[in-house]
Amino acid sequence: MNLIEHRKLKSLFARNKAWAKGMTDKNPDFFNHLSKQQSPNYLWIGCADSRVPANQVVDLDPGEVFVHRNIANVVVHSDLNCLSVLQFAVEVLRVKHIIVCGHYGCGGVKAALDGKKHGLIDNWLGHIKDIYRLHKQEIDAKPTKEEKIDLLCEKNVIEQVSNVCHTTIVQDAWSTNQDLSVHGWIYSINNGLLKELDTKVCDSKMFRHMHSLND
Ligand code: CO
């Protein structure tokens, strides 16, 4: 590592110190209180993209949102990492809302559509390609490449909301009337704003109804 890079990295510790001081200046008990417990209301499942940091875009402090991020915010039924986060959030933390948040211009979605080879990640992007095949006609009808990508970004969020609802974890929670809803949101990198997609699911009855409409 050259000297400049080394200094940049070191500066992160200085920034961390200043941040921690700022937090305790505002609330002297902040870290002491958090160290004893976390009780977030929200589970955020988002893209790993550095431009979509969960806490910052909804202006929440540490302790307020439990977060899982991966490339293109995908919820796969065999992904033990994501499922473990989901289980802990629902069964132990008892979050009230699960938010699947995609974003326009997602690099993962773009890569799934470009027809090129990207190596290992193509196995992951296969999940996005499956969603494209489901909505091929509607997506292909969009005039520009950007619009095709953005529509697939939205379809992906809707599909992942459905995947979350299908898990045994969420199904079990609903079967015991646990207060839990699942939401699909999308974020615009170019203006910093979130938009709610029409996918909110509050219980298994609502889920079955939506699902029968989609079938
Ligand atoms: Co992305």
Side-chain angles (χ1 to χ4, degrees):
M1 201 186 334
N2 68 36
L3 199 62
I4 294 166
E5 279 308 316
H6 185 69
R7 278 197 190 128
K8 271 194 211 161
L9 195 62
K10 278 289 227 187
S11 76
L12 295 184
F13 285 91
R15 294 176 70 107
N16 164 253
K17 227 173 166 176
W19 170 78
K21 187 181 176 303
M23 295 302 281
T24 40
D25 284 350
K26 269 193 286 178
N27 176 1
D29 199 37
F30 184 76
F31 291 108
N32 182 34
H33 174 74
L34 268 190
S35 65
K36 291 186 185 122
Q37 58 152 32
Q38 61 166 336
S39 53
N41 254 332
Y42 313 102
L43 165 62
W44 173 284
I45 300 174
C47 183
D49 193 304
S50 66
R51 297 164 295 179
V52 197
N55 284 68
Q56 273 160 293
V57 303
V58 282
D59 196 21
L60 288 177
D61 277 337
E64 295 188 285
V65 56
F66 201 61
V67 175
H68 178 79
R69 290 168 66 183
N70 61 39
I71 289 177
N73 42 272
V74 176
V75 178
V76 184
H77 293 304
S78 54
D79 178 2
L80 287 178
N81 181 358
C82 182
L83 292 177
S84 301
V85 169
L86 187 62
Q87 183 189 16
F88 189 76
V90 171
E91 294 179 8
V92 181
L93 299 173
R94 298 183 82 83
V95 297
K96 299 242 180 331
H97 304 277
I98 299 168
I99 298 155
V100 176
C101 187
H103 66 100
Y104 292 120
C106 180
V109 172
K110 217 180 274 183
L113 273 183
D114 69 10
K116 294 180 194 151
K117 283 190 166 190
H118 308 90
L120 173 91
I121 197 177
D122 287 326
N123 298 287
W124 185 252
L125 297 178
H127 299 297
I128 310 280
K129 289 178 188 171
D130 291 342
I131 300 166
Y132 167 65
R133 274 197 299 276
L134 281 173
H135 305 279
K136 193 176 183 310
Q137 266 192 331
E138 199 184 335
I139 291 167
D140 287 352
K142 289 284 176 191
T144 67
K145 205 170 134 193
E146 282 68 32
E147 284 169 281
K148 288 184 195 0
I149 290 164
D150 286 349
L151 181 59
L152 185 52
C153 289
E154 289 184 356
K155 298 288 185 194
N156 179 40
V157 169
I158 294 164
E159 192 69 20
Q160 304 315 328
V161 165
S162 167
N163 285 348
V164 169
C165 295
H166 270 110
T167 59
T168 53
I169 302 153
V170 170
Q171 290 290 323
D172 287 351
W174 282 338
S175 73
T176 58
N177 293 321
Q178 188 174 328
D179 178 13
L180 179 69
S181 52
V182 187
H183 312 258
W185 295 358
I186 194 147
Y187 176 79
S188 294
I189 283 171
N190 52 21
N191 64 13
L193 295 177
L194 284 167
K195 186 170 92 183
E196 192 168 11
L197 296 173
D198 191 20
T199 51
K200 186 178 164 193
V201 190
C202 298
D203 53 37
S204 52
K205 202 176 138 202
M206 195 170 165
F207 176 59
R208 278 197 304 272
H209 176 67
M210 281 180 78
H211 204 61
S212 63
L213 289 179
N214 289 339
D215 289 347

